[in-house]
Amino acid sequence: MKNRTKSPASGRTVTRQQVVNLIVPFLLIFLSFLLSSVWIVMMGKNPVEAFAVLFKGAFGSSANLVGTIKKSVPIAFCTFAIIVSMKGNAFNIGAEGQFAFGAIGATLAGNLIQGLPSPLCIALCMLAGALFGMLFGLFPTIMHRSHGVDLLVIFLLMNNVAEYFLQYFVLDLFKSENALVPSSRPIQPAAELPYLLGPPYRMTIAILFVLVCAVVLSWFFNKTVAGYEMRAVGQNRDAAFYAGIPTGRYTSMALLISCALAGIGGSLEVLGNYHCLYTEISPGFGYDGIPIALLCDANPLLAVIGSISFGALRNGSLSLQAKMGLSSEIVSVIQGSLILVIASNYFIRYLLNRRKRG
Amino acid sequence: MDVFLNLLLSVIRLCTPIFVAGLGNMFCERVGVLNLGAEGMMISGAFMAVLGSYMTGNAWCGVLCGILGGIAAGGIHALVCVEFGGLHAISGLGLTMFCRGVTKFLCVAIFGSTYSPYVSALQTTDILAKLPMAGSYLAQLSPLVYAAILLGIGAHYIVFHTTYGLRMRALGDDPRAVETAGIDVWKMRYSGVLICGALCGLAGAYMGLGQLDRYFDGMISGKGMIAVIAVKMGNWSPLGIFLTALLLGLFDVIQLKLQISKTLALSPEMLAMIPYLAGIAVLCMKRKQGSRPTALDTVYLRNRYKL
């Protein structure tokens, strides 16, 4: 989208451009809320009241706030996954599947690794999650690089495969015999993440991993040669190629790192939240990352804020269901319309610029 | 013989939605718009079809509603991709998510659960039962299957034997040349995407009213993506899409038969993966680009919107 907006020559208009750049994300979010409130009105409910309930459910009490932060951890890792792939000139929409496989990897490791001290055990489980995520993304990456297979299509199909494999794993292969809800065998206590806040809240240190990961990614892209070259590939593949950067290698590398990050997200969800695996471990976290990554312009630090707001949306929608009888599915409606207005981003910029000019 | 014919009938039943949605996607891709929102259009079509049949009590009204639902979803995609110059892949993803959310939201609001009640459907064609020999078999298929066959023939004629088809094929390869020739590129693109919406809506309506007689959340489960693959594999021609759809439908039938017969000691979840794995294999075997529209997935903006 960047190369389409020509930056005007004079200094004054450039600042206008900056103002527009600042306004647009908020405008897009506002528009998507407007589009979703159409459906709320159709149900005969007051949209303003609904969004107030949503906000209160997300930030109203300390318990709600902790819930929001918990929800934002997996979303943040999926967002990082998509950001890294975007930097490498690809688009990883298979984060949903890699997330599930990361969770499977962590569950397996958490069960099989015995008798190690807790920090080492946790590290190994997360590594297993990253590896499983990466291995799941390996085949599409290879096919994309060697045969030019369409990444979007193959990743979407792989997500379906992952969904069924997760069901197979939880319901059949690794099922727990004495559980009320169908779930896998629980991981051993040594693999559980320690709490940052005690039992009434049960907030684990997972959020710290998010912050560390954001800083590391930001450092990688801005301060290292590999990160710089990867960004170059993402911004203009041809120019990077003529500058002698191995573009294919960087794209594959970005995709594999991206898959590993989604896998870590899945492993943290198992190690920190559930301590075992359910079939509904991800209500679409992998797809949440897409609008966030696009809105924050692939900036890892801003992505943390974006993830927390999307976590708020998911957490708040639960109280929307309880208090107003609206399906929590309104989240997908908001997200879907958000992606649609992000796609029309160029037209909105055009309208803004035209008004300023006239 | 009887076993073979029954197998053939199931293959036809299961390949029809892939074929019809694939035909729609072919129109869309031939005018140069990538459609990853086929899934969303099918969901919208299926839900609207069942809703229409539930409200009016007439299955044919339901099919009409389904087509309209598909066109509405296609209209969103057309607006974003053709008018606003949006990126096709992102718009398609957003559309699928939007349709999935809206239908689930409405389904819970109208029917009170994620399942609709049973509605009047079009599962058999009773008129054909009186025909000699094959009548009893032909009557087991939904009338929409026959509509799909006619649509396939019609699509072949339109694409390869009419002026509209010629323009469409040219547009897929070079929009600028088409505009230079004085043809309204955007009107053509709109028509392609809307036809796609109508056909995907019909495919969804078939799944809701032809295969089953109700709607439930998640019933489309990736069929739209399979249709996108069928277009690529079928080399953007109706006949090719038909053959690919048959192949993919066959895998679907194998999966179902194995689930029922339990001959292999595999869990149903493992078997449910088969159609998707077949889709991935088909996608990876397709090495040559064939007659891929070269301007596929490109933005072609109206002059007055240029900054």
Side-chain angles (χ1 to χ4, degrees):
Chain A
M1 249 163 262
K2 231 168 228 164
N3 45 16
R4 235 187 274 149
T5 33
K6 289 172 197 153
S7 59
S10 75
R12 222 176 87 241
T13 33
V14 168
T15 48
R16 264 183 197 170
Q17 198 70 42
Q18 283 166 347
V19 171
V20 168
N21 281 344
L22 203 68
I23 294 173
V24 162
F26 294 100
L27 196 67
L28 293 178
I29 293 171
F30 177 71
L31 273 177
S32 71
F33 272 89
L34 210 63
L35 278 173
S36 340
S37 44
V38 171
W39 303 99
I40 300 178
V41 171
M42 264 175 69
M43 293 298 104
K45 302 275 162 61
N46 181 357
V48 179
E49 192 191 337
F51 290 127
V53 169
L54 190 77
F55 187 80
K56 225 184 232 169
F59 299 113
S61 68
S62 43
N64 287 346
L65 190 63
V66 168
T68 297
I69 290 174
K70 265 188 196 169
K71 279 259 188 305
S72 67
V73 171
I75 300 177
F77 271 96
C78 290
T79 312
F80 294 149
I82 288 160
I83 285 177
V84 172
S85 71
M86 275 165 73
K87 294 273 191 199
N89 201 356
F91 201 69
N92 176 12
I93 48 175
E96 184 80 7
Q98 292 134 20
F99 185 88
F101 262 75
I104 291 174
T107 315
L108 272 178
N111 265 286
L112 300 180
I113 299 171
Q114 302 276 351
L116 282 180
S118 178
L120 197 62
C121 192
I122 291 170
L124 280 177
C125 286
M126 281 172 67
L127 190 68
L131 267 179
F132 265 64
M134 199 192 268
L135 285 178
F136 190 63
L138 192 62
F139 177 70
T141 310
I142 291 173
M143 289 320 279
H144 176 62
R145 185 153 175 211
S146 61
H147 296 325
V149 169
D150 195 333
L151 263 185
L152 297 173
V153 178
I154 196 166
F155 269 139
L156 282 173
L157 281 172
M158 293 294 271
N159 283 349
N160 283 317
V161 172
E163 189 190 330
Y164 286 113
F165 191 83
L166 179 66
Q167 285 178 12
Y168 169 63
F169 184 83
V170 172
L171 302 177
D172 199 351
L173 194 63
F174 214 67
K175 73 173 172 208
S176 159
E177 301 300 336
N178 43 7
L180 296 173
V181 189
S183 64
S184 77
R185 284 178 226 159
I187 57 170
Q188 50 172 317
E192 289 171 11
L193 288 182
Y195 288 124
L196 201 61
L197 286 176
Y201 297 119
R202 294 179 191 282
M203 189 168 90
T204 59
I205 56 168
I207 185 72
L208 299 182
F209 286 118
V210 171
L211 298 177
V212 169
C213 189
V215 173
V216 168
L217 281 180
S218 189
W219 169 80
F220 173 72
F221 284 122
N222 293 318
K223 299 278 185 241
T224 65
V225 175
Y228 172 77
E229 291 189 337
M230 194 184 280
R231 261 194 311 149
V233 173
Q235 279 176 2
N236 192 333
R237 200 187 174 81
D238 295 332
F241 183 76
Y242 285 116
I245 298 172
T247 50
R249 197 183 300 163
Y250 271 108
T251 303
S252 309
M253 194 170 100
L255 274 172
L256 290 181
I257 295 175
S258 153
C259 298
L261 282 171
I264 291 177
S267 68
L268 285 180
E269 196 69 354
V270 170
L271 302 179
N273 256 354
Y274 299 118
H275 303 153
C276 65
L277 194 56
Y278 294 103
T279 47
E280 292 90 15
I281 185 125
S282 165
F285 290 138
Y287 297 110
D288 287 10
I290 298 167
I292 306 173
L294 291 168
L295 271 182
C296 69
D297 204 14
N299 180 334
L301 296 176
L302 287 180
V304 176
I305 302 173
S307 310
I308 290 175
S309 41
F310 267 66
L313 207 59
R314 282 211 175 269
N315 194 30
S317 72
L318 297 177
S319 64
L320 200 62
Q321 193 159 19
K323 285 188 183 152
M324 291 189 71
L326 286 168
S327 164
S328 64
E329 208 52 34
I330 194 74
V331 176
S332 317
V333 182
I334 296 175
Q335 264 173 10
S337 35
L338 185 57
I339 297 180
L340 282 172
V341 289
I342 290 172
S344 339
N345 173 0
Y346 172 79
F347 190 72
I348 289 159
R349 277 172 200 272
Y350 162 78
L351 288 180
L352 285 175
N353 279 332
R354 193 185 57 167
R355 187 173 301 157
K356 294 235 163 83
R357 215 183 283 162
Chain B
M1 193 61 194
D2 213 35
V3 177
F4 176 74
L5 278 174
N6 277 327
L7 190 72
L8 191 67
L9 283 182
S10 341
V11 172
I12 291 172
R13 270 193 211 113
L14 286 171
C15 84
T16 303
I18 302 173
F19 174 57
V20 177
L23 274 185
N25 262 325
M26 180 197 69
F27 278 101
C28 200
E29 298 203 353
R30 284 261 183 199
V31 296
V33 178
L34 179 71
N35 183 18
L36 292 183
E39 182 95 9
M41 296 176 188
M42 282 173 80
I43 293 172
S44 164
F47 178 73
M48 288 300 290
V50 173
L51 186 65
S53 178
Y54 174 76
M55 293 282 188
T56 60
N58 184 335
W60 285 105
C61 288
V63 172
L64 192 67
C65 287
I67 293 174
L68 289 178
I71 290 179
I76 298 176
H77 193 57
L79 202 64
V80 174
C81 292
V82 182
E83 192 72 30
F84 296 165
L87 297 178
H88 303 176
I90 294 172
S91 166
L93 284 177
L95 184 68
T96 301
M97 207 179 275
F98 182 73
C99 289
R100 198 175 284 157
V102 168
T103 48
K104 195 169 178 188
F105 185 71
L106 289 180
C107 195
V108 171
I110 295 169
F111 302 122
S113 76
T114 51
Y115 285 79
S116 82
Y118 292 105
V119 295
S120 62
L122 292 166
Q123 285 165 319
T124 52
T125 319
D126 295 328
I127 310 167
L128 296 178
K130 292 188 191 99
L131 287 178
M133 304 277 287
S136 58
Y137 289 106
L138 291 177
Q140 287 178 35
L141 293 171
S142 163
L144 295 179
V145 172
Y146 300 108
I149 295 168
L150 292 180
L151 278 173
I153 297 168
H156 182 87
Y157 178 76
I158 289 174
V159 172
F160 295 108
H161 298 284
T162 62
T163 322
Y164 176 77
L166 181 67
R167 288 177 178 179
M168 199 168 72
R169 279 180 289 152
L171 180 57
D173 284 334
D174 194 347
R176 184 162 289 175
V178 172
E179 197 192 1
T180 315
I183 299 161
D184 191 335
V185 170
W186 298 276
K187 212 183 262 173
M188 289 288 294
R189 279 198 163 180
Y190 265 120
S191 70
V193 181
L194 289 180
I195 292 173
C196 172
L199 287 174
C200 287
L202 182 66
Y206 171 77
M207 288 189 78
L209 297 175
Q211 280 181 352
L212 304 168
D213 46 3
R214 69 190 310 190
Y215 174 84
F216 61 89
D217 185 54
M219 69 183 279
I220 307 292
S221 69
K223 282 280 186 298
M225 284 322 293
I226 301 268
V228 173
I229 291 167
V231 178
K232 288 186 195 303
M233 184 67 186
N235 216 1
W236 289 268
S237 85
L239 185 66
I241 294 169
F242 177 66
L243 293 175
T244 318
L246 270 186
L247 181 72
L248 293 169
L250 182 68
F251 279 108
D252 225 356
V253 171
I254 290 174
Q255 178 255 123
L256 282 176
K257 293 275 176 212
L258 285 177
Q259 273 197 28
I260 295 163
S261 68
K262 296 202 172 97
T263 41
L264 289 177
L266 282 171
S267 72
E269 292 85 18
M270 278 302 253
L271 294 170
M273 274 189 242
I274 290 177
Y276 304 105
L277 292 175
I280 291 171
V282 160
L283 188 69
C284 295
M285 281 187 306
K286 169 91 177 147
R287 300 278 177 82
K288 277 188 299 186
Q289 288 297 314
S291 55
R292 179 182 190 272
T294 42
L296 183 62
D297 198 14
T298 53
V299 175
Y300 199 72
L301 211 57
R302 283 185 203 269
N303 267 325
R304 61 168 190 254
Y305 293 149
K306 282 183 184 149
L307 280 171

